[in-house]
Each structure stands twice: as structure tokens, then as C-alpha cells.
Amino acid sequence: RPTESVLGCPWDPVEDTLGVRAIEVKDLERVTKRLVVSTVARLFDPLGLAAPFALQAKLLVQKIWTLGLGWDEQLRDEERRFWDVWVAELRKLRDLVVPRCLHLSRGDGEMQHEVHIFCDASELAFGTVAYLRTQRDGGVDVGFIAAKTRVAPLKQISIVRLELQAAVMATRLAEAISRELTYEVHRTVFWSDSCVVLQYLNNESRRFHTFVANRVAEIRESSEPSQWKKVPTDLNPADVCSRG
């Protein structure tokens, strides 16, 4: 079925869904650093629908850089196998769609909108994902808003600090959503599976090291400690944003 382009995203006007623009990898024989980097750069996904999938390629790019390969030097066997699997799954992006409208219009009465933002981190990366929860007399709808991921720095830092970075990313995403969302948001809730991060945000007396203090201060500028809740790791949708 033909689609139209909306801000670089394919839009199906019949089903009213948004997706990710499919890309093709032309050279499947000679896989070089140049090919990998250029392919990853062409993956345009402003909403972050494919953020966990794109993260896998970003991790590969990071590893290629650490190996010191030249731009036109072919990948080693291990990295090549990883790339082949990723490219094979690339065509499935055309099946990845979400409703353009964040909520359904069923039911009567006033709608109550809540933004729920989850964050998580692993040794490899950290990320966040946001949803709009709409409650009405007819029931509850949950719509995907956006997701973001970032590869962890090469200089190894603790998981706790990465979890804190993820929390900062969550508040920044919340600010971006509040600027752009035309709905009246009645409540914004942040979810983390890190007890240490939640303790940081609720601690008013302890003096933190500079790294922690700066990030805790930024989080508190954009949110209240009461907005932060604990979510079990196995129920945290941001888990795939940090692991791919």
C-alpha cells in the first residue's frame, strides 16, 4: 500500500500509522568501516521506534573504532557475522509501525492524560522510553511517544552512574515532550529500577561527588522526587533500550 512522508517518516493514511524509513545496504560482500558507519547514519528514526535495534549497530560502530580499523579496511569475522545478522533484520523495519494518534477517541467524559517515562542502563548503553496514558470513562489507552538510547562511554564507569545518566535523559525527554505535546498533561511519572538512583533523588542531607551532584541537581530542576517510582527490572520497557 502506498505511503506518504511526514517529517521523514512513512505515514500510511489509510491505517493512520507512522513507521521507519527502510534503507538498503548495497554492498554485501565487502563490509568496511565506511559502509557500516554510513549505513547507521542513514537510519532516520526521530521517534526512536527502532531505538533498541539501532543501538546494536551503534555498539558495533563503537567496537570498530576501538579496533582501530581503517575506513576501507574490512571487518574481522566476528564483527562481520554480527553485521550480517543486523542487515538481515533490517528489512523488518518496514513492518514496525505505531498509530499516529497517541490515544483512541472512544468513551465519553473528560480525558486524563499522564506521561510515563521509563529509564534503564547496562554496561553497554542507557536509554529511556515515554508513553502517554489516557484515561476516560470508556477505558484506558497507552500510546508510544518516543524513545532514546545512547552508547556507554569507552571509559568504563559504574552501572549506578549510567543509571543516573539514564535518569537525566528521561527528564530531558520529558521536557521535550512537554514543549511539543498539545494535550494537557495531568501527571508525569518517572520509572527506574535502580534503588540507588531513587535514594539519590530523595536524599536531602548527603553531599555527593561532583558527577553525582551535578546530575541529581539537573534531575531535581525538572522533576520532583515524588514523581519518581520503582519498577521491577523485568517489567521495565526501557530494558531493551539499554541492551538492544
Side-chain angles (χ1 to χ4, degrees):
R1 184 162 51 218
T3 60
E4 299 182 18
S5 180
V6 176
L7 300 178
C9 298
W11 170 49
D12 185 333
V14 177
E15 297 293 335
D16 198 16
T17 58
L18 293 173
V20 181
R21 181 73 61 194
I23 59 175
E24 295 183 1
V25 181
K26 297 180 180 179
D27 192 348
L28 298 178
E29 297 298 328
R30 182 174 173 80
V31 181
T32 63
K33 174 181 173 181
R34 187 186 306 277
L35 174 66
V36 173
V37 174
S38 64
T39 301
V40 176
R42 287 165 49 210
L43 186 57
F44 182 67
D45 179 27
L47 294 178
L49 291 178
F53 176 70
L55 175 63
Q56 294 284 355
K58 293 178 183 178
L59 292 170
L60 177 61
V61 171
Q62 185 185 61
K63 186 172 183 179
I64 292 174
W65 277 102
T66 60
L67 293 174
L69 297 178
W71 281 103
D72 296 309
E73 189 175 348
Q74 295 195 58
L75 271 58
R76 304 183 312 179
D77 291 343
E78 180 181 350
E79 288 71 41
R80 173 60 190 267
R81 286 192 295 270
F82 188 96
W83 175 251
D84 289 342
V85 172
W86 190 82
V87 170
E89 296 180 348
L90 190 61
R91 63 177 64 93
K92 297 180 181 179
L93 284 184
R94 62 173 61 94
D95 300 324
L96 181 61
V97 295
V98 293
R100 180 194 57 80
C101 187
L102 291 176
H103 65 80
L104 302 177
S105 57
R106 65 170 182 254
D108 300 316
E110 182 183 357
M111 289 185 290
Q112 297 285 324
H113 297 299
E114 298 178 355
V115 173
H116 290 260
I117 305 181
F118 299 80
C119 57
D120 189 47
S122 69
E123 294 179 353
L124 301 175
F126 55 94
T128 181
V129 57
Y131 301 91
L132 181 72
R133 182 184 186 274
T134 304
Q135 186 169 357
R136 209 171 189 178
D137 292 344
V140 173
D141 293 314
V142 177
F144 171 89
I145 302 178
K148 289 185 177 295
T149 60
R150 185 169 297 176
V151 176
L154 290 175
K155 182 181 179 181
Q156 190 171 8
I157 61 177
S158 67
I159 291 292
V160 172
R161 290 192 171 190
L162 288 173
E163 292 276 12
L164 197 56
Q165 290 280 72
V168 170
M169 180 184 284
T171 57
R172 291 176 181 175
L173 180 58
E175 288 182 335
I177 291 171
S178 67
R179 289 193 302 266
E180 303 297 334
L181 204 61
T182 56
Y183 304 127
E184 179 185 357
V185 177
H186 297 84
R187 187 169 72 130
T188 299
V189 184
F190 299 90
W191 299 88
S192 173
D193 56 18
S194 173
C195 293
V196 178
V197 169
L198 297 178
Q199 290 172 357
Y200 280 158
L201 299 179
N202 284 282
N203 195 313
E204 299 290 346
S205 58
R206 181 180 174 185
R207 296 184 61 184
F208 301 114
H209 292 295
T210 303
F211 181 98
V212 175
N214 289 343
R215 284 151 183 82
V216 169
E218 180 176 346
I219 294 171
R220 285 179 175 172
E221 285 179 3
S222 305
S223 64
E224 298 293 332
S226 60
Q227 291 178 269
W228 287 85
K229 310 294 183 183
K230 177 74 165 60
V231 60
T233 300
D234 57 345
L235 296 179
N236 189 354
D239 185 68
V240 293
C241 290
S242 65
R243 303 178 189 277

